Amino acid sequence: EGDPQSPYRILRAVKNRFGQTDAVGMFAMTEKGMMAVANPSARFLEERVHAPGSAITCIMEGSRPLLIEVQALVEKSVFANPIRRTSGFDAGRLQMLLAIIGRRAGVSVAGLDVYVNVIGGMPIKEHAADLAVCVAVISSVRDQALPKEAVYIGEVGLSGEIRSVPFLDRRIKEADRLGFKQSITPKTTKNLRDIIQNASR
């Protein structure tokens, strides 16, 4: 599996008579062919630029935690209906998260075009990246970079609450291994508004 525009590919076993099916292999297309990626999280983050609109999260591909960068760009719209465009993230879920941001976090995106991109061509198919998408959008709206060594993991509910996700401890451990000193999760913060208020101090 993989984005045709990205050099990375995932080899996934959907049926295995002799073992587990939740293990995945990460590969990159090189001049020598498909080569295994020993440390995918580090590879995805090696070109990261610390800037407004950038947030790090951790997703699970099978049994493997992967740190990836979510980028958001917000700009004043010139259209009656602002643009909502995503790459690697569900567009319908983005619409819902934008409504939560406006209603529960007090950050309006009405009249703004919003673009969300998952770096590395790795599509996000779970809700653990909700929090990272929200804070990336808010960071872009305020033109204020998030803490460089923070990772954001959690599902965001309609009331703005941050909900737990599967394998949370494993995700946090992966973030620690890559040198991230602050993990913003349901264990540390319960509401999206609290994160925004703390970031403004």
Side-chain angles (χ1 to χ4, degrees):
E1 303 174 2
D3 185 344
Q5 304 300 320
S6 169
Y8 302 110
R9 296 292 183 271
I10 295 176
L11 179 62
R12 187 191 312 275
V14 295
K15 183 177 182 181
N16 186 354
R17 183 175 299 175
F18 305 103
Q20 61 186 20
T21 58
D22 61 351
V24 297
M26 292 292 302
F27 297 86
M29 178 59 75
T30 69
E31 295 177 353
K32 298 180 180 180
M34 295 294 285
M35 304 295 290
V37 178
N39 192 346
S41 292
R43 180 71 68 89
F44 286 136
L45 300 181
E46 63 184 1
E47 296 181 1
R48 179 194 179 195
V49 176
H50 185 226
S54 172
I56 304 300
T57 190
C58 187
I59 64 172
M60 296 296 296
E61 279 294 342
S63 60
R64 171 175 287 183
L66 297 176
L67 291 183
I68 57 173
E69 180 185 4
V70 175
Q71 288 185 339
L73 177 64
V74 176
E75 182 65 283
K76 184 177 180 179
S77 182
V78 296
F79 304 103
N81 295 317
I83 296 172
R84 307 285 191 251
R85 190 159 298 164
T86 65
S87 176
F89 191 79
D90 182 70
R93 191 154 190 87
L94 174 63
Q95 293 278 19
M96 184 190 75
L97 293 177
L98 294 180
I100 295 171
I101 290 171
R103 180 69 173 177
R104 304 303 183 188
V107 180
S108 176
V109 293
L112 300 175
D113 294 333
V114 179
Y115 304 88
V116 171
N117 181 40
V118 180
I119 300 300
M122 184 65 62
I124 295 177
K125 302 176 182 179
E126 58 173 342
H127 299 163
D130 284 359
L131 183 56
V133 172
C134 287
V135 296
V137 170
I138 294 170
S139 170
S140 183
V141 170
R142 295 184 169 180
D143 197 28
Q144 179 180 349
L146 298 165
K148 187 175 182 179
E149 297 179 336
V151 61
Y152 299 85
I153 307 168
E155 178 181 355
V156 178
L158 293 179
S159 296
E161 77 278 15
I162 302 171
R163 295 176 173 268
S164 186
V165 295
F167 309 109
L168 182 58
D169 290 339
R170 192 180 299 180
R171 298 173 200 256
I172 294 173
K173 185 176 180 179
E174 176 72 0
D176 291 341
R177 186 180 70 83
L178 268 292
F180 286 86
K181 299 179 179 179
Q182 186 179 16
S183 293
I184 309 301
T185 72
K187 289 186 175 182
T188 62
T189 310
K190 298 300 182 183
N191 192 278
L192 181 61
R193 184 181 291 271
D194 294 338
I195 296 177
I196 305 309
Q197 290 175 346
N198 292 335
S200 300
R201 292 174 183 173

